[in-house]
Amino acid sequence: MENQNQRSNEETEIDLVELFWVLWRKLPLMIAVGLFTALLAFGGSKFLMTPTYQSVTKIYILNKQDSSNTNVTYTYSDLQAGTQLVKDYSELIKSRFVLEAVIEQLGLPLSYEKLSRKVTVSTPADTRVISIAVTNSNPVMAMKIANAIRETASTHICNVMDIEAVNIVETANVPTHKASPSVGKNTMLGGMLGILMVAAIVILSHLMNDTIQTEEDVEKYLG
């Protein structure tokens, strides 16, 4: 039994070494295909995909309890309750009331659903600061939409939640760098995908080829 297991392990090792040499012999082809797919990904990202820009504005919502108790030490439960409120504020920011008001204010040729997909509301970990990010193909319009959402949402939150104030932490600026696509990242992924595709085809064709070609194949298949 032990000899049989040992022979099986040796055959497995021989197969792995054989696969390595099969791939090694096809290395020029793998590199050529990888360069080709990398060039395709570069061209598609550079010339075919529309670049988008992201503008971010940040707010801090001041509750009436916060403003009246300036010397209060917050417990974990208080912070947890504040985090839950932040989720409520996030829903209000992306509400139909706010976004449709922004669409009308700026005269945007967008529906509520399309604008909603361009807006991302998030909160950094362990904070009550709300970040509003807007993605658009026009960097100036991305900034205008972000600031308009902040202003409209601030008024809406004050009316609905009966809070003290919404303070501006950071106004949206015109983004100078593209948010997507990442040409370098896409090029690298395209090249890796091409190499992996060729490697998979080579390995699959080698494993499916059960023809006897060498003396070692005779010993392996016929025992």
Side-chain angles (χ1 to χ4, degrees):
M1 185 68 178
E2 183 178 353
N3 293 334
Q4 184 178 358
N5 291 336
Q6 183 177 359
R7 186 173 61 183
S8 177
N9 292 334
E10 290 176 354
E11 289 179 356
T12 302
E13 291 177 1
I14 292 174
D15 289 340
L16 292 177
V17 172
E18 188 177 357
L19 284 176
F20 171 79
W21 286 112
V22 169
L23 291 174
W24 180 261
R25 289 193 293 269
K26 297 295 184 180
L27 185 60
L29 176 63
M30 294 167 61
I31 294 176
V33 174
L35 289 176
F36 177 73
T37 54
L39 287 175
L40 285 180
F42 174 81
S45 302
K46 189 75 173 178
F47 303 108
L48 298 180
M49 298 179 66
T50 303
T52 58
Y53 300 84
Q54 188 177 79
S55 185
V56 180
T57 181
K58 297 179 181 180
I59 59 176
Y60 182 85
I61 299 176
L62 185 65
N63 295 322
K64 291 184 177 180
Q65 181 180 2
D66 297 339
S67 60
S68 60
N69 298 290
T70 56
N71 297 323
V72 173
T73 302
Y74 290 102
T75 63
Y76 175 76
S77 59
D78 294 331
L79 293 175
Q80 195 173 26
T83 303
Q84 184 60 45
L85 284 175
V86 167
K87 294 180 180 179
D88 296 339
Y89 301 144
S90 300
E91 289 296 322
L92 290 175
I93 291 171
K94 292 191 67 174
S95 65
R96 181 179 292 274
F97 178 87
V98 171
L99 297 187
E100 287 186 345
V102 171
I103 292 172
E104 183 178 357
Q105 176 185 343
L106 298 179
L108 301 176
L110 298 172
S111 63
Y112 160 75
E113 290 78 11
K114 289 184 178 180
L115 180 57
S116 180
R117 288 194 291 267
K118 294 177 178 289
V119 180
T120 304
V121 181
S122 60
T123 55
D126 300 325
T127 70
R128 293 166 65 180
V129 175
I130 299 177
S131 176
I132 305 171
V134 175
T135 303
N136 196 277
S137 57
N138 187 325
V140 176
M141 185 56 66
M143 177 198 67
K144 290 182 178 180
I145 295 174
N147 285 327
I149 290 176
R150 186 199 66 239
E151 294 171 1
T152 306
S154 298
T155 303
H156 187 51
I157 291 173
C158 289
N159 294 334
V160 174
M161 303 295 291
D162 191 26
I163 64 172
E164 183 69 20
V166 176
N167 297 332
I168 300 174
V169 177
E170 180 181 306
T171 59
N173 295 320
V174 179
T176 57
H177 301 286
K178 293 184 295 184
S180 67
S182 175
V183 178
K185 181 180 178 181
N186 290 348
T187 302
M188 182 178 64
L189 290 176
M192 292 177 60
L193 181 62
I195 292 174
L196 291 176
M197 286 176 59
V198 175
I201 294 173
V202 169
I203 292 175
L204 185 62
S205 61
H206 174 73
L207 294 177
M208 294 181 64
N209 183 10
D210 57 357
T211 58
I212 297 177
Q213 300 176 355
T214 64
E215 294 180 1
E216 288 78 9
D217 291 340
V218 176
E219 295 177 359
K220 178 180 178 181
Y221 293 116
L222 303 181

